[in-house]
Amino acid sequence: MRDDLGEPVRLGAVPRRVVSLVPSLTEAVAVTVPGVLAGVTDYCTHPPLDLPRIGGSKYPRVPDVLAAQPDLVLANAEENRPEDVAQLRAAGIPVWVSAAPATVPAALDSLDRFFREVFTAEPGWLRQARELWADLPEQRGTVLVPVWRRPWVVLGRATFAGDVLRRLGFGNVYADHPDRYPRPPLAELLGCGADLVVLPDEPYEFTATDGPEVFPGRRCVLLSGRLLTWHGPSLVPARAELAAAFSA
């Protein structure tokens, strides 16, 4: 079998010990195939797991990954460094690297193939998510989505979160920017004309006192970044929770 990037993944049997370097994949595996996770990152918060922590997604402690004796490691092309993946493969550990999805359907297709090929499983939550996120409603507003400050970084073109917003009826004002994560000056952000400023709590933790004060006179929506950026079981409750947040 091959991962999303076309690299071979040689498994002798169905994996029994999996280390996940991707929080959203951790949640998906924990819900779909309980008991197989043997190690996760410090940022794998859902569901709560009493498992060895192997560092962050960007900088995992490779010796700790190896100490977990995994027969499969899960990584992502956007979240994880190629050199860490290469080091694990050089140690003889199979690594499944998922692509960075640009749409909700692409993310669900990737997950569907992964669970079918690796675990011969068909997650019920995946079918629910497909149904919930199938529609593309008419646009009812525009949003600006900062994901970092100092410097300011915003959501740009071809991102999963941007497609989530589009399927809720909101267009990203930077959707046509050449970069996926532009770094516009603050003056440009203040004049972008967005109807809403969406401030997630990850990767930068925007709060009621850190973020909204920069955009006076603009409606700001604080929300869980997990609902906006994680592709997995969280997509099922995310549809209603995000819709409620935007209409409050």
Side-chain angles (χ1 to χ4, degrees), residues 174 185-194 218:
Y174 280 93
L186 180 57
E188 182 179 315
L189 299 184
L190 294 175
C192 73
R218 190 88 63 187

Side-chain angles (χ1 to χ4, degrees), residues 38-212:
V40 296
T41 77
D42 298 342
Y43 300 101
C44 294
T45 57
H46 292 78
L49 296 168
D50 184 17
L51 290 171
R53 301 285 166 164
I54 49 77
S57 300
K58 291 292 185 187
Y59 300 99
R61 295 184 297 271
V62 173
D64 289 357
V65 177
L66 297 175
Q69 299 182 310
D71 42 26
L72 179 65
V73 171
L74 306 181
N76 178 266
E78 186 170 71
E79 291 197 41
N80 305 114
R81 302 186 306 166
E83 54 265 41
D84 293 325
V85 172
Q87 189 175 348
L88 290 166
R89 285 175 172 158
I93 305 298
V95 182
W96 181 287
V97 181
S98 59
T103 67
V104 173
L108 295 176
D109 286 347
S110 171
L111 287 164
D112 188 27
R113 190 172 72 86
F114 166 71
F115 280 111
R116 285 176 182 272
E117 294 193 12
V118 175
F119 292 106
T120 62
E122 298 181 47
W125 56 262
L126 199 150
R127 292 192 297 274
Q128 285 182 273
R130 282 198 196 279
E131 294 171 2
L132 287 168
W133 292 96
D135 293 340
L136 279 171
E138 290 185 11
Q139 184 171 308
R140 58 193 182 99
T142 57
V143 294
L144 169 69
V145 191
V147 295
W148 201 262
R149 67 181 299 184
R150 305 183 190 97
W152 287 95
V153 181
V154 301
L155 213 63
R157 67 167 184 86
T159 64
F160 174 83
D163 192 53
V164 166
L165 292 166
R166 188 168 67 106
R167 291 168 189 275
L168 291 167
F170 291 92
N172 174 15
V173 293
Y174 280 93
D176 295 327
H177 195 280
D179 298 330
R180 296 185 75 226
Y181 296 98
R183 298 187 175 200
L186 180 57
E188 182 179 315
L189 299 184
L190 294 175
C192 73
D195 299 312
L196 299 175
V197 179
V198 175
L199 298 171
D201 64 1
E202 62 177 43
Y204 185 91
E205 189 176 1
F206 289 103
T207 67
T209 57
D210 184 1

Side-chain angles (χ1 to χ4, degrees), residues 227-243:
L227 298 177
L228 190 62
T229 63
W230 286 30
H231 43 287
S234 60
L235 280 170
V236 175
R239 184 71 177 76
E241 291 184 38
L242 289 171

Side-chain angles (χ1 to χ4, degrees), residues 219 243-248:
R219 185 184 167 211
F246 288 130
S247 16

